[in-house]
């Protein structure tokens, strides 16, 4: 029979094969709309008691694998720091208020605790109450309020709010905090100040204004890379009191290439090599991946998207921003000016990011998402929790024993989203195991008496000139070309389906060959 007469039958066989392939791909491919906890995240549990407002938590893990969580709370007339811990993330001690600050006049101020575990098995706490303070306790005694050293004031004479700490490979503790710098141009513009300690937090260097710009700053995030360079990112705009900035805002980066002794001038992220800079950028966090590259993640408005950038030269230049596809921020449904994201690194060098967001631009429900960066691509998003009406905020993440992920966040109840005094906000916790090598736990040491630190007076902070001090390495203005195909590939559910179809291609060819042979044989 002529080949032309066989063409309709072969076409029908091909169409049937394509239908079968599409059905198979649809059955085994991820839907992109599922909120199931597919990567092993535990069911979230509350760690703060019901009926007591709890918000802005932080989490840290010690060398024994014990999890430490602190948050801002309050009792009548006092702003407090509440604390609890767990040996395994399953059983938790009853929360204890380890710090209490008398309220300033009629106002109540979130104590905003930040935690850091150092190599000497000390847990460091920084917190605020119009001023910012540092205290520390042995990790195995931190549950007792009496085990903490007397608070040392860190800021100057003006009001202060945010704090973050980090430690480098030589044991130097790096500290940043926000403090109001009153000027003629701006009476309420908080700057980011830096100090460090080489004796375990007992004494600190004089403060240095790192943000220097004549505007305000909020939500600083601190990172020390593998060469002990110190990186700082923050959100900039006018204001900063109680963490609030007026619009427009932008995200900034500054670095010290000599362990904090000098700092370069701040550089704005998002605009580097970006032909279409967004109107506003917020909620920035930073990590350092297995390829020894910096990764920053931030929210872009009004697009309401989550963006990331890479630096291959320790923050001197940055790639063009790229979106985390299929993810949107909460801004369109909840203008969370106080929210932020968190990045940690596991023992394999993978970065883990937690943030609040949505999968669809028209979606009203808000999730706490987790995604992983493996050095070249992001994993598909995994919803740790999704809430209707209630709103999750301020997720923080810590990694313990190399591969144990511990996430905390707080939830605003739907009836009191903006009423912190009347609300019932609670702190929640979930855990997961990353695909990374485990690190053996180190037993807690036998407790030894802790010496009281010698409190050093905090001198009034003096703003630094916009001209960098001698010896400061300025950021390279020219953006270096980067192979984005290999550096910034983005993995989506569509990629997974394409891989499935490619893997089944040989089967499709065989199926077509058999179909054609059967048609010819029957003729």
């Amino acid at each position: 029979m002529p080949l032309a007469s066989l063409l309709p039958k072969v076409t029908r066989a091909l169409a049937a094969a394509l239908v079968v392939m599409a059905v198979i791909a649809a059955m085994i491919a991820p839907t992109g709309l599922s909120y199931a906890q597919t990567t092993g995240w535990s069911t979230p549990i509350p760690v703060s008691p019901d009926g007591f407002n709890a918000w802005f938590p932080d989490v840290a893990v010690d060398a024994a694998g014990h999890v430490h969580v602190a948050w801002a709370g309050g009792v009548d007339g006092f702003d407090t720091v509440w604390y609890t811990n767990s040996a395994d993330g399953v059983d938790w001690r009853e929360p204890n208020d380890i710090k209490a600050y008398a309220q300033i006049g009629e106002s109540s101020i979130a104590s905003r605790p930040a935690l850091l575990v150092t190599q000497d098995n000390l847990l460091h706490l920084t917190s605020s109450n119009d001023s910012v303070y540092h205290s520390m306790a042995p990790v195995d005694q931190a549950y007792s309020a009496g085990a903490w050293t007397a608070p040392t004031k860190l800021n100057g004479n003006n009001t202060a709010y945010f704090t973050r700490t980090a430690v480098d490979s030589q044991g130097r503790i790096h500290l940043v905090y926000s403090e109001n710098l009153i000027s003629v141009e701006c009476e309420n513009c908080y700057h980011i100040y830096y100090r460090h300690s080489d004796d375990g937090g007992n004494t600190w260097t004089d403060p240095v204004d790192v943000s220097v710009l004549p505007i305000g700053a909020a939500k600083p995030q601190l990172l020390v890379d593998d060469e002990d360079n110190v990186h700082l990112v923050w959100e900039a705009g006018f204001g900063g009191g109680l963490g609030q900035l007026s619009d427009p805002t932008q995200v900034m980066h500054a670095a010290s290439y000599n362990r904090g002794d000098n700092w370069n001038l701040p550089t704005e992220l998002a605009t580097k090599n970006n032909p279409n800079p967004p109107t506003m950028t917020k909620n920035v966090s930073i990590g350092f991946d297995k390829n020894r590259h910096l990764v920053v993640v931030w929210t872009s408005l009004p697009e309401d998207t989550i963006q990331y950038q890479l630096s291959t030269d320790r923050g001197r230049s940055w790639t063009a921003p790229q979106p985390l596809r299929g993810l949107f921020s909460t801004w369109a449904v909840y203008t969370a000016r106080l929210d932020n994201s968190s990045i940690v690194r596991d023992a394999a060098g993978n970065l883990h990011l937690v943030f609040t967001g949505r999968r669809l631009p028209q979606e009203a429900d808000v999730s706490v998402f987790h995604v992983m960066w493996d050095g070249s691509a992001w994993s598909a998003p995994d919803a740790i929790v999704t809430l209707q009406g209630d709103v999750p905020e301020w997720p923080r993440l810590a990694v313990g024993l190399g591969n144990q992920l511990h996430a905390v966040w707080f939830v605003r109840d739907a009836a009191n989203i903006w009423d912190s005094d009347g609300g019932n906000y609670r702190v929640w916790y979930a855990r997961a195991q990353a695909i990374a090598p485990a690190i053996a736990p180190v037993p807690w040491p036998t407790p030894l008496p802790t010496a009281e630190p010698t409190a050093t007076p905090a001198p009034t902070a003096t703003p630094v000139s916009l001209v960098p001090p001698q010896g400061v390495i300025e950021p390279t203005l020219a953006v270096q070309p980067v192979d984005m195909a290999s550096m910034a590939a983005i993995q989506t559910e569509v990629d997974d389906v394409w891989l499935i179809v490619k893997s089944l291609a040989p089967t499709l060819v065989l199926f077509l060959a058999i179909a054609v042979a059967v048609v010819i044989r029957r003729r």
Side-chain angles (χ1 to χ4, degrees), residues 120 146 155 179 211 227 269 272 283 332 402 461 467 477 485 495 505:
D120 50 4
N155 63 292
E179 181 178 3
S211 56
E227 293 180 349
L269 296 167
K272 291 294 182 181
N283 302 347
V467 179
L477 297 180
D495 299 325

Side-chain angles (χ1 to χ4, degrees), residues 131-218:
S131 292
V132 291
Y133 299 90
H134 167 262
S135 187
M136 53 190 169
V139 291
D140 57 331
Q141 301 175 46
Y143 182 78
S144 170
W148 291 85
T149 59
T152 300
K153 182 182 175 182
L154 297 169
N155 63 292
N157 297 323
N158 297 320
T159 56
Y161 195 61
F162 286 103
T163 63
R164 293 310 304 176
T165 50
V167 63
D168 67 22
S169 65
Q170 301 176 60
R172 173 175 287 183
I173 301 175
H174 304 270
L175 161 78
V176 291
Y177 61 88
S178 64
E179 181 178 3
N180 191 16
L181 178 62
I182 301 173
S183 66
V184 175
E185 295 81 8
C186 185
E187 293 186 1
N188 180 32
C189 279
Y190 282 59
H191 284 217
I192 306 297
Y193 293 90
Y194 168 83
R195 307 177 74 175
H196 66 249
S197 174
D198 286 323
D199 58 5
N202 288 305
T203 60
W204 299 86
T205 58
D206 290 344
V208 173
D209 182 355
V210 176
S211 56
V212 302
L213 303 174
I215 55 176

Side-chain angles (χ1 to χ4, degrees), residues 19-63:
V19 170
V20 171
M21 294 292 292
V23 171
I24 294 173
M27 290 175 62
I28 63 180
T31 66
L33 298 178
S34 173
Y35 293 150
Q37 298 173 12
T38 58
T39 60
W41 282 96
S42 64
T43 300
I45 60 171
V47 293
S48 68
D50 192 14
F52 292 86
N53 250 15
W55 55 351
F56 303 114
D58 200 18
V59 59
V61 185
D62 63 36

Side-chain angles (χ1 to χ4, degrees), residues 5-19 511-512 515 519:
S5 64
L6 296 177
L7 186 59
K9 297 181 180 293
V10 173
T11 301
R12 286 195 296 272
L14 175 60
L18 292 176
V19 170
F511 182 87
L512 290 176
V519 170

Side-chain angles (χ1 to χ4, degrees), residues 60-68 83 85-89 117 139-140 400-401 406 441-442 444:
V61 185
D62 63 36
H66 290 228
V67 188
H68 306 264
Y83 168 86
N85 62 38
S86 172
D88 53 12
V117 176
V139 291
D140 57 331
L401 303 182
H406 304 274
V442 177
W444 273 352

Side-chain angles (χ1 to χ4, degrees), residues 295-312:
V295 182
V296 292
V297 179
W298 42 268
T299 298
S300 176
L301 300 172
E303 300 89 346
D304 214 19
T305 57
I306 312 296
Q307 303 278 331
Y308 76 98
Q309 291 177 263
L310 308 177
S311 175
T312 63

Side-chain angles (χ1 to χ4, degrees), residues 457-523:
T460 301
T462 302
V464 174
S465 169
L466 287 175
V467 179
Q470 185 177 1
V472 171
I473 303 174
E474 296 191 55
T476 304
L477 297 180
V479 178
Q480 302 299 319
V482 177
D483 181 7
M484 294 303 298
S486 60
M487 283 285 299
I490 303 173
Q491 179 179 338
T492 67
E493 288 88 348
V494 175
D495 299 325
D496 296 331
V497 174
W498 177 236
L499 289 174
I500 293 168
V501 171
K502 286 196 297 184
S503 66
L504 293 178
T507 304
L508 175 61
V509 173
L510 178 61
F511 182 87
L512 290 176
I514 294 173
V516 171
V518 169
V519 170
I520 296 175
R521 184 184 182 91
R522 287 181 176 177
R523 297 303 303 171

